[in-house]
Amino acid sequence: MGTAQSREGELEDSESEDESVVSEPSSQGYESAEEKGERRAAVRKSPSAVGTSKGKADVLSYKLGNLSLSPAVPQTHKRAKLYLHTGGNTSKSQWTIYAKEVSYEFVKEDDDESDDDDDDGKEWLSKRAGKTTWVDWHLRVADKVSAKIDDGLQMQFFDDQLRVDFVSQGVWAMKFFNKTDYHAFVHEFQNCKFENSYQMKATEENKTKVFGKDFMTWASGEDADESIWEDAEDHLEDQKAATRKLKETYNESLKSGAKSMTMGAGEHSFLIGNSGIEVFRNMATGVHGKGVSIKLQTKSDSPKDPFSTPKKGMLIRGESNMMLLSPATDAKQHPTGVSQLDIATGKVVSEWKFEKDGTAISMRDLTNDSKGSQLDMSNTFLGLDDNRLCRWDMRTQAGLVQQLSSPILSWNEGHQFSRGTNFQCFASTGDGSIVVGSRDGKVRLYGTTSMRQAKTAFPGLGSPITHVDVTYDGKWILATTDTYMILISTLFKDKDGKTKTGFQGRMGNRIAAPRLLKLNPVDAHAAGAHKFIGGQFSWVTESGKQERHLVVSVGNFSVVWDFMRVKQSDHECYRHERGLKSCYCYEVVPKDESIVESKFMNDTFHSVASPEAPLVVATPKKITSYNI
């Protein structure tokens, strides 16, 4: 377990040819003493292993690059000093000068065509097989880096050090010789990233087309309204909160692996595995196994029956029943039905079908009507598909519970959009408002009165939204992408000066820019090619209470941010950033295997010693609880 530092230690300059620059480690405890010894021995034996997953330096190239007889750098203003990070997340982590001066350039590269030095990187399109395709911008640094410009580079900017860190077959840093060169690099990088994301030139006209006039400052962070973040600081707790750590309090091996967790706000939580559902008791120290498993039995009772291996569970009716969403028989399609499990008997009592106007339809996801409605005796729940948002009712129009052997859910309300919404994920607030994330990166807010038209639609920032969550009061949204999370404030002031949320009205152009939550390049490299999964707030179901933390899973890491600290406008991460601000202050909980899900228990399970309810982390073989 370790806590990431927002600053990776300054890169110091020296005239020594064999200089190594040691930074403060971004995390501690990821590597044993034996592993450290083996890694260092391997580096000595194999100096050619540059940029591997362990960040080993090419010792020979490193020394040659610092000799006065090394090849001359082309005389161009695009020059910088290049560093390589070694040691990973250990106490031996350090920055080593790889070359005292290198050239870099932004170029158009088409992998299917040979490079053409005569075009000077100005060709926008490539014609191949009679078709015109977009050619992406790449960053080249000497002969060591050639990478597409996108979020996968995990670029981190240090304005005060004239420095950028990034990931490309290893962790690198470029330090520029003056402010002019640094700012020119940042400007060109951002333009290239925009063009790669939206396949159009980075002109003001095109940016207005993508973001909309009202959201131009929101998407860029320049001259955005910061008053919302400043108001949030008034509610900050004492700074002792920043020193709290997560401590493992209970762990247990799993019987049938793990596919997803369904957290209860009452007595029990559930883990859906490969051959059934394991039941856990909720306690202040985490979830404790009861030794009880539910083996799903459906009408067909066939091992190939998709209902016998559900992918998600949703508690309903006072947590006495669970709706199980199962994979469709065709992996390319979404489920066309949902099974209802009676938890007391462990039996599937109904297998509901999704249908509208007599036609079977599919659903990619389900969620409760509101944050706490699983504790109520409600008979409705929300459904989402690529171009559908609706509410399903388990009663007939007369209000009687259906007693059919193969009941059809009633389409209570909603809208089937003609095309193009590409919905991916959704969540509900305490009052039943709905936030929806899309493949194009948009985040739409629907109020409690209509699912036909969004009250507010935030534009995409270049990456698809894979998961969304929202606070109980609807004031904050957390949108997950593959490589970072977006924290969005929904608050704004209407023309009468009243403070509202974007679920209640259309937000104008005086809105707060979002915050980005990222891994620093060292941790991102350690996480490998794994993606962010299921970013969530801690779980509050009571008016007037505020969520305290945010968590996301990425590879073998659970990563936890302090919500109060992220909202603090002047903390260390933000002091030297321009544009959209990124927060790198988090705590890492490492596991031995890839994490399936990380979720906080309901706020009612916090203790006097721990102000936050436990964090529960599930891997394929184990479920572990942590207290603060």
Side-chain angles (χ1 to χ4, degrees):
M1 187 177 346
T3 301
Q5 305 291 332
S6 63
R7 314 291 284 174
E8 279 293 301
E10 293 196 12
L11 302 179
E12 301 173 359
D13 294 323
S14 169
E15 296 303 318
S16 171
E17 291 183 355
D18 292 330
E19 175 189 16
S20 292
V21 184
V22 181
S23 73
E24 295 183 9
S26 61
S27 306
Q28 296 178 5
Y30 293 1
E31 188 175 30
S32 68
E34 292 181 356
E35 290 172 330
K36 283 186 259 184
E38 292 174 359
R39 175 178 54 76
R40 296 175 72 85
V43 170
R44 290 192 292 268
K45 293 178 181 179
S46 181
S48 61
V50 176
T52 66
S53 60
K54 292 294 184 182
K56 302 172 184 175
D58 184 338
V59 178
L60 181 59
S61 295
Y62 152 64
K63 291 188 175 181
L64 288 176
N66 288 285
L67 292 174
S68 59
L69 297 179
S70 60
V73 176
Q75 294 302 309
T76 170
H77 72 283
K78 293 184 176 181
R79 298 175 296 116
K81 182 177 288 189
L82 184 64
Y83 296 78
L84 178 65
H85 191 274
T86 60
N89 291 304
T90 70
S91 59
K92 299 297 184 181
S93 67
Q94 64 179 12
W95 287 102
T96 302
I97 296 180
Y98 192 83
K100 289 191 173 182
E101 190 172 324
V102 294
S103 63
Y104 68 89
E105 58 182 342
F106 297 94
V107 296
K108 286 279 187 179
E109 285 191 6
D110 189 337
D111 295 336
D112 294 334
E113 296 181 359
S114 59
D115 293 337
D116 185 358
D117 295 333
D118 295 332
D119 65 12
D120 195 27
K122 300 301 181 183
E123 289 295 329
W124 296 92
L125 302 173
S126 171
K127 292 183 178 180
R128 188 187 313 117
K131 295 183 179 180
T132 302
T133 60
W134 179 262
V135 181
D136 287 316
W137 286 103
H138 286 62
L139 171 65
R140 287 181 182 172
V141 183
D143 61 343
K144 291 303 175 187
V145 175
S146 181
K148 179 182 174 182
I149 296 175
D150 58 18
D151 292 317
L153 282 175
Q154 302 284 354
M155 189 73 69
Q156 183 177 5
F157 301 96
F158 298 86
D159 282 18
D160 57 329
Q161 299 183 44
L162 306 182
R163 158 191 170 192
V164 297
D165 297 359
F166 60 94
V167 178
S168 177
Q169 300 292 313
V171 183
W172 304 89
M174 293 169 61
K175 189 167 183 179
F176 298 84
F177 298 111
N178 55 67
K179 290 184 178 180
T180 300
D181 288 358
Y182 170 78
H183 291 306
F185 175 91
V186 174
H187 178 74
E188 194 165 0
F189 176 86
Q190 299 291 10
N191 282 345
C192 290
K193 185 171 177 290
F194 176 90
E195 292 165 7
N196 284 355
S197 297
Y198 303 104
Q199 298 190 359
M200 60 178 70
K201 291 187 177 182
T203 64
E204 289 302 307
E205 181 181 2
N206 285 338
K207 290 179 181 179
T208 303
K209 288 180 182 178
V210 171
F211 303 124
K213 186 177 180 181
D214 287 344
F215 287 93
M216 282 288 286
T217 55
W218 179 88
S220 67
E222 301 291 347
D223 301 321
D225 183 10
E226 289 290 304
S227 62
I228 295 299
W229 299 102
E230 293 166 1
D231 291 344
E233 294 175 29
D234 295 337
H235 304 287
L236 288 173
E237 296 183 350
D238 59 73
Q239 293 305 309
K240 293 180 181 178
T243 64
R244 294 170 180 153
K245 305 296 180 186
L246 286 166
K247 179 181 179 181
E248 182 178 319
T249 52
Y250 189 81
N251 71 77
E252 187 168 333
S253 298
L254 300 175
K255 298 176 182 178
S256 60
K259 297 174 70 174
S260 67
M261 289 192 296
T262 300
M263 307 304 295
E267 291 186 6
H268 302 112
S269 289
F270 307 85
L271 188 137
I272 298 175
N274 297 320
S275 59
I277 299 174
E278 293 191 44
V279 184
F280 295 85
R281 182 179 296 279
N282 291 332
M283 302 179 70
T285 51
V287 295
H288 294 239
K290 292 186 63 178
V292 176
S293 297
I294 300 174
K295 185 181 183 301
L296 300 179
Q297 297 178 353
T298 62
K299 289 185 298 183
S300 64
D301 202 23
S302 168
K304 295 183 179 179
D305 187 340
F307 283 114
S308 66
T309 56
K311 65 177 183 179
K312 177 179 179 177
M314 178 184 68
L315 290 168
I316 62 170
R317 293 180 175 174
E319 299 190 349
S320 65
N321 283 232
M322 184 185 296
M323 303 300 276
L324 299 168
L325 188 65
S326 302
T329 53
D330 184 347
K332 296 182 180 179
Q333 298 178 351
H334 300 151
T336 56
V338 61
S339 54
Q340 181 181 348
L341 174 73
D342 184 294
I343 293 173
T345 63
K347 294 181 179 180
V348 173
V349 295
S350 292
E351 296 177 5
W352 299 87
K353 302 297 182 184
F354 301 125
E355 191 173 291
K356 184 178 186 297
D357 300 330
T359 302
I361 60 176
S362 61
M363 290 282 110
R364 71 155 52 236
D365 200 5
L366 305 176
T367 197
N368 296 104
D369 283 330
S370 67
K371 279 281 186 182
S373 62
Q374 68 189 58
L375 295 168
D376 303 330
M377 295 307 293
S378 172
N379 288 298
T380 61
F381 57 89
L382 301 170
L384 184 81
D385 206 30
D386 291 356
N387 299 301
R388 299 185 186 101
L389 175 62
C390 64
R391 177 173 283 107
W392 293 107
D393 198 329
M394 301 166 65
R395 301 165 298 180
T396 64
Q397 291 183 352
L400 299 175
V401 177
Q402 294 183 356
Q403 299 294 337
L404 307 177
S405 58
S406 297
I408 305 298
L409 287 164
S410 174
W411 177 288
N412 182 281
E413 65 172 315
H415 188 64
Q416 185 163 313
F417 299 88
S418 58
R419 58 185 174 84
T421 53
N422 292 317
F423 293 151
Q424 293 245 87
C425 48
F426 69 152
S428 55
T429 67
D431 69 358
S433 299
I434 306 167
V435 55
V436 183
S438 302
R439 193 174 299 122
D440 60 5
K442 290 183 178 179
V443 175
R444 296 174 172 88
L445 312 187
Y446 294 87
T448 57
T449 58
S450 174
M451 296 183 185
R452 179 176 293 271
Q453 187 172 14
K455 290 288 188 180
T456 301
F458 293 98
L461 296 179
S463 298
I465 305 299
T466 59
H467 190 272
V468 289
D469 195 17
V470 59
T471 55
Y472 186 84
D473 58 18
K475 295 179 180 179
W476 306 91
I477 292 168
L478 187 65
T480 306
T481 73
D482 286 347
T483 54
Y484 61 92
M485 296 191 293
I486 310 168
L487 180 64
I488 300 171
S489 168
T490 69
L491 295 175
F492 74 102
K493 291 185 179 180
D494 65 13
K495 60 182 180 181
D496 298 324
K498 296 181 179 179
T499 300
K500 295 181 177 180
T501 71
F503 295 101
Q504 300 168 322
R506 293 187 176 278
M507 303 175 73
N509 56 7
R510 294 293 294 170
I511 54 179
R515 298 280 194 259
L516 304 184
L517 279 64
K518 298 181 177 181
L519 295 183
N520 65 52
V522 174
D523 288 337
H525 184 56
H530 296 285
K531 300 175 181 179
F532 277 34
I533 298 175
Q536 295 184 333
F537 294 101
S538 50
W539 188 18
V540 170
T541 53
E542 184 178 339
S543 295
K545 288 208 171 183
Q546 181 66 70
E547 292 79 358
R548 294 171 178 268
H549 290 87
L550 311 97
V551 63
V552 72
S553 303
V554 51
N556 291 22
F557 298 159
S558 284
V559 189
V560 181
W561 278 264
D562 186 309
F563 190 20
M564 301 298 180
R565 191 172 187 182
V566 173
K567 289 189 288 187
Q568 189 176 357
S569 293
D570 63 349
H571 91 260
E572 190 176 4
C573 286
Y574 306 146
R575 289 175 186 167
H576 303 286
E577 291 186 327
R578 296 178 304 157
L580 290 181
K581 293 179 171 60
S582 298
C583 182
Y584 299 91
C585 296
Y586 49 77
E587 183 171 0
V588 174
V589 180
K591 304 297 289 183
D592 295 331
E593 54 183 343
S594 187
I595 293 170
V596 175
E597 271 194 305
S598 306
K599 291 184 176 181
F600 280 97
M601 295 176 64
N602 188 264
D603 184 62
T604 55
F605 292 99
H606 78 273
S607 65
V608 176
S610 177
E612 179 71 279
L615 172 69
V616 181
V617 179
T619 66
K621 297 179 180 179
K622 186 176 289 188
I623 187 166
T624 310
S625 300
Y626 298 86
N627 281 79
I628 294 179

